[in-house]
Amino acid sequence: MTGTLVLAGTPIGDPLDAPPRLAAELAAADVIAAEDTRRLRRLTRQLEIEPGGRIVSYFEGNESARTPELAEELAGGARVVLVTDAGMPSVSDPGFRLVAAAVERGVRITAVPGPSAVLTALAVSGLPVDRFCFEGFLPRKQGERLARLREAAQERRTLVYFEAPHRLDATLAAMAEVFGGSREAAVCRELTKTYEEVRRGPLDALAAWAAEGVRGEITVVVRGAAPPDPGALGPADLVARVEAREEAGERRKEAIAAVARETGVPKREVFDAVVARKHAKP
């Protein structure tokens, strides 16, 4: 019989948020794969438990090399518990490779639900939460970051991003440039920790605040785009939207179809505007 892979969510700040099952799984595991073994030891002391099995490191730098080893343990019947520094493994954290390897081998996979920075930030943001999309971390390079933001510029669902504190000011400035400085957002810092803070306001004001320096774990929540008024969009607006998608890597045919969907303008009208613009260029 094969073993079981347990994806164990850990507290994002306050250790009292740890579910009772987390302690039970850590005590019963054959192997605990931890993103940071020192932080795991601190957590087990806070939970007043002694890990039951072997502890190995499993982080971005060794994830590819260690996955086959852990997959073999699972195939041999071991119960492997995977934990990251905070939140759920594989969600912007190590774990996806091991999950994929376990699926390939027919290994049972389960999870210990735990606190989520994404859901917590959404709940306290004051922005619509009925529909949202999680974008993870943006690229570090400015050009790639702007391209990714342009892809999401017309997204109507609330957007959630993770960001490092030293890049927050540049990211908020880029969001203000692409989404518009008046777009509402919330910067959630150190959620559930002693110095928890939620800053709400338009992107341009938040960018100015962040320029003074921010510390801690950061989650950014941004209001989705307002539904466009088809009657207010001229040919130049339609062409600009198509070109932005092409710059982000979409083929023209798909870009035209996407712009038609998001604006409510007939696809033929968008196509004609693009063709007219092409013929007008010298």
Side-chain angles (χ1 to χ4, degrees):
M1 293 181 62
T2 60
T4 299
L5 173 61
V6 182
L7 306 174
T10 55
I12 59 176
D14 191 335
L16 294 177
D17 291 336
R21 189 177 155 217
L22 174 61
E25 289 288 357
L26 291 174
D30 296 309
V31 180
I32 302 174
E35 184 176 11
D36 187 323
T37 57
R38 291 169 299 179
R39 293 185 67 165
L40 171 65
R41 292 289 188 186
R42 184 163 64 246
L43 177 61
T44 57
R45 287 195 300 270
Q46 292 168 331
L47 298 178
E48 299 181 344
I49 62 167
E50 185 65 32
R54 181 167 59 94
I55 296 175
V56 299
S57 63
Y58 189 77
F59 60 98
E60 184 179 1
N62 73 354
E63 186 176 3
S64 295
R66 181 140 281 169
T67 292
E69 170 193 329
L70 292 173
E72 287 303 313
E73 296 262 14
L74 288 164
R79 190 172 187 87
V80 176
V81 175
L82 176 61
V83 295
T84 51
D85 290 349
M88 182 60 68
S90 82
V91 180
S92 286
D93 274 332
F96 173 76
R97 288 184 176 88
L98 185 55
V99 171
V103 169
E104 184 177 345
R105 288 165 174 77
V107 171
R108 177 174 177 263
I109 303 168
T110 188
V112 177
S116 164
V118 175
L119 297 181
T120 304
L122 278 165
V124 303
S125 69
L127 297 172
V129 297
D130 54 331
R131 299 175 68 228
F132 69 91
C133 54
F134 174 56
E135 291 288 312
F137 285 94
L138 288 166
R140 297 181 182 183
K141 294 183 179 179
Q142 175 72 351
E144 295 175 2
R145 182 191 301 130
L146 288 171
R148 181 77 64 80
L149 290 172
R150 290 189 187 107
E151 291 178 7
Q154 303 307 318
E155 173 59 62
R156 299 185 198 177
R157 294 171 293 181
T158 298
L159 300 154
V160 184
Y161 297 88
F162 288 161
E163 191 50 277
H166 63 278
R167 291 197 298 268
L168 180 63
D169 57 341
T171 291
L172 290 173
M175 287 178 173
E177 177 184 340
V178 176
F179 298 158
S182 61
R183 181 87 71 94
E184 291 181 325
V187 176
C188 306
R189 187 179 72 85
E190 294 289 88
L191 288 169
T192 78
K193 299 178 184 178
T194 302
Y195 298 104
E196 177 179 281
E197 179 182 20
V198 180
R199 285 267 180 168
R200 305 175 183 87
L203 282 167
D204 52 5
L206 291 173
W209 162 73
E212 299 176 4
V214 179
R215 294 181 179 180
E217 301 286 336
I218 305 292
T219 305
V220 181
V221 185
V222 184
R223 182 183 287 274
D229 176 5
L233 295 171
D237 299 309
L238 299 173
V239 171
R241 289 172 181 250
V242 172
E243 290 179 343
R245 286 181 168 274
E246 287 185 287
E247 289 175 7
E250 285 190 23
R251 293 189 300 176
R252 178 165 295 177
K253 181 179 179 181
E254 283 74 19
I256 289 172
V259 169
R261 284 195 305 272
E262 71 190 20
T263 62
V265 175
K267 186 162 64 174
R268 183 69 195 184
E269 188 173 329
V270 180
F271 174 80
D272 289 343
V274 171
V275 171
R277 171 64 174 171
K278 181 180 179 181
H279 289 162
K281 289 183 178 180

